Amino acid sequence: MKKKLILESGEVFHGTGFGADQNTEGEVVFNTGMTGYQELISDPSYCGQIVCMTYPLIGNYGINRDDYESIEPAIKGLIVKELCDLPSNFRTQITLDELFKKKNLSGISGIDTRRLTRLIRNKGVVKGKIVNADEDEQVVVQDLKTTNFPTNQVELVSTKTPYANPGRGFKVVLMDFGSKLGIIRELSARNCDIIVVSQDTTAEEILLMNPDGIMLSNGPGDPEDVPHVHETIRKLLGKVPIFGICLGHQLIGLACGAKTYKLKFGHRGGNHPVLDLAKNKVAITSQNHGYAIDQESLKNTDLVETHIALNDKTNEGIKHKKYPCFSVQYHPEASPGPEDANYLFDEFIELMDRQKVGMTESQKA
C-alpha cells in the first residue's frame, strides 16, 4: 500500500505503508539506535510521537515475547528506510509488520530517513502525518498547523490502579508516569518490594504505605503539564529517599524551583556520552527525552548539577543539597542500550540503607 509522510513544514516523503492501513499523526522525532526497536515501540515515553529510525534496516531480528517495555504501545507510528520481512533470530516469533497489524499501529518504509533526520536537526521537531498516497497534501499541512496534540500524555500511559511486584528487600513506591518495565526489572533484581502507583497519587497516600524509597519514572510530554506532581514531590522531599529517571528527573527540578525547556530535536538513542562530574567518569547511555533542565535556573535552588551530556553540554543529573534525593536525565535501566549507568540503582539501594540505619540509630538515642 502506497503511503506518504507529510510534515507541517510542507515536506512530503513517499513510501510504502506497513502495519495497520490507517492514517496516523504525531510529533516526528528521530532515534539513533542501531537495535532495540521493540523496546522503543513499547516505551510509553513515545506517547504521541512518530519515530524515525536513523539506522537503515529495521525488523531484521523480529519481535519476541521478552523485550517489551509495556503491555500496550503508546507510539503513534514508525518511519524506516528498509523494513525486513524475513527476520532471522532464534527468539523471533512474529515480524515487525505483524506486530503493527496486531496492535493497530501504522508505519512507513522506503523513504530517505537520512534526509528526514537532517531536516529535523536543522528545523527542530515537527508535526507530521502518515497518510494514503492520494491524500491532498495542502489540506493535510493546514490540518497539522491547526492541530494541537493532547497535553495529558502522562495520564494516558500511567497505571489507573496500584499494583505490587513483591520482594523481600526495601519497599519502593514507583510513581508511574509511563514507566518502562526495565525499571521494575532492575529494582526486582535487587529484591525490592515494589508498589506501582498512579501519577495522581498524593504524597499522603504514598507515605501511608511507609516506603523505604520512592522512584519517579520516565514518561512522555512536557513536565510542566503535571503541576500536581510537582506539589507531591515537594511534600515528599526529606521524608524518604527519592530517585528520578528522565521525566522524573525533570519533575524533581521543577518541584525544587528550577526550570525546564524543550530541546530542538531531543536526545533519543543508545549512544549518548554523559560525564559524571563527581567521578570524572564517562558513561555511554540510553536516552529518550525532548525536554531538559535549564542549568542556569539551578543556581537559585537547593539542587546541584551532577552529570552533563558531552554532545551538547545539557544537564543530565542533579542531587539535592539537603535531602536524600537524586536523579538523572538518561536511562540507567537501558532497555535498549548500554548498561554503563546501571550502578545508579545500587546507589539508590545504598541511600535507602543509610537512611534506614540513621533512623534506627536516632530511635535508639
Side-chain angles (χ1 to χ4, degrees):
M1 49 186 175
K2 295 299 181 183
K3 295 277 186 175
K4 56 189 176 185
L5 169 70
I6 303 175
L7 302 183
E8 176 188 14
S9 49
E11 289 83 3
V12 179
F13 296 80
H14 294 268
T16 303
F18 64 91
D21 185 11
Q22 63 179 16
N23 295 347
T24 186
E25 63 183 13
E27 185 180 54
V28 182
V29 301
F30 66 84
N31 184 291
T32 58
M34 296 175 65
T35 60
Y37 54 80
Q38 182 174 340
E39 295 93 329
L40 179 155
I41 291 164
S42 55
D43 182 350
S45 293
Y46 283 109
C47 178
Q49 295 180 329
I50 301 174
V51 182
C52 170
M53 302 299 296
T54 63
Y55 190 70
L57 178 62
I58 300 298
N60 53 312
Y61 54 87
I63 300 293
N64 65 77
R65 69 171 193 175
D66 298 323
D67 290 342
Y68 291 104
E69 285 301 313
S70 66
I71 296 174
E72 291 297 329
I75 193 173
K76 295 293 287 186
L78 193 67
I79 303 165
V80 303
K81 176 70 173 83
E82 181 180 348
L83 178 70
C84 179
D85 295 323
L86 296 171
S88 177
N89 185 277
F90 72 98
R91 296 195 301 162
T92 295
Q93 293 174 307
I94 59 175
T95 67
L96 180 56
D97 178 51
E98 289 170 334
L99 173 69
F100 266 48
K101 283 184 170 70
K102 290 177 183 293
K103 296 297 184 180
N104 202 34
L105 296 171
S106 298
I108 186 170
S109 65
I111 73 169
D112 188 345
T113 52
R114 289 197 304 176
R115 177 184 159 220
L116 176 58
T117 300
R118 289 169 67 92
L119 188 151
I120 296 171
R121 284 191 52 146
N122 292 333
K123 293 188 175 182
V125 170
V126 294
K127 290 183 284 186
K129 191 170 185 177
I130 298 173
V131 299
N132 292 327
D134 58 358
E135 292 274 353
D136 188 308
E137 295 168 8
Q138 292 303 315
V139 171
V140 173
V141 169
Q142 290 304 313
D143 286 345
L144 286 171
K145 287 181 177 180
T146 58
T147 297
N148 292 316
F149 295 138
T151 58
N152 64 334
Q153 289 101 326
V154 169
E155 181 184 347
L156 293 174
V157 297
S158 176
T159 183
K160 301 300 183 286
T161 57
Y163 62 93
N165 194 91
R168 295 185 178 275
F170 290 112
K171 177 177 279 189
V172 176
V173 170
L174 170 58
M175 291 197 74
D176 177 18
F177 308 124
S179 177
K180 291 165 59 183
L181 294 177
I183 295 176
I184 295 178
R185 283 193 289 265
E186 291 299 333
L187 292 173
S188 295
R190 291 157 178 83
N191 206 27
C192 291
D193 184 19
I194 308 164
I195 301 175
V196 184
V197 300
S198 175
Q199 51 87 27
D200 58 357
T201 306
T202 66
E204 292 75 17
E205 290 171 325
I206 291 173
L207 293 174
L208 196 61
M209 299 174 192
N210 197 25
D212 297 305
I214 297 169
M215 173 71 72
L216 306 178
S217 85
N218 62 290
D222 187 339
E224 293 186 358
D225 288 338
V226 284
H228 60 281
V229 180
H230 310 166
E231 183 61 27
T232 298
I233 295 172
R234 279 191 283 268
K235 291 180 179 178
L236 292 172
L237 280 169
K239 302 285 178 35
V240 64
I242 299 175
F243 178 21
I245 292 175
C246 199
L247 180 66
H249 163 76
Q250 297 162 8
L251 293 172
I252 289 174
L254 290 171
C256 294
K259 296 179 180 178
T260 57
Y261 65 98
K262 188 167 186 176
L263 296 165
K264 186 176 181 180
F265 48 81
H267 299 170
R268 297 176 181 88
N271 52 1
H272 292 259
V274 170
L275 175 64
D276 184 325
L277 296 173
K279 298 180 179 179
N280 196 32
K281 182 179 178 181
V282 174
I284 303 301
T285 67
S286 173
Q287 301 204 10
N288 174 20
H289 60 275
Y291 291 80
I293 289 180
D294 182 346
Q295 290 153 304
E296 282 296 312
S297 70
L298 291 172
K299 295 178 180 178
N300 300 318
T301 70
D302 286 324
L303 300 172
V304 59
E305 186 170 57
T306 58
H307 298 74
I308 60 169
L310 292 182
N311 286 341
D312 60 8
K313 301 300 186 291
T314 55
N315 174 264
E316 289 285 343
I318 53 175
K319 70 176 181 180
H320 204 282
K321 297 176 184 177
K322 300 176 182 177
Y323 303 130
C325 173
F326 72 103
S327 61
V328 290
Q329 181 63 79
Y330 51 93
H331 289 266
E333 80 283 1
S335 302
E339 298 179 346
D340 297 22
N342 197 261
Y343 68 91
L344 290 171
F345 286 96
D346 297 322
E347 292 189 357
F348 182 45
I349 298 295
E350 292 170 8
L351 191 62
M352 289 188 287
D353 189 39
R354 289 198 301 270
Q355 182 83 352
K356 201 158 192 175
V357 169
M359 289 177 64
T360 302
E361 290 178 351
S362 64
Q363 287 171 356
K364 289 180 180 179

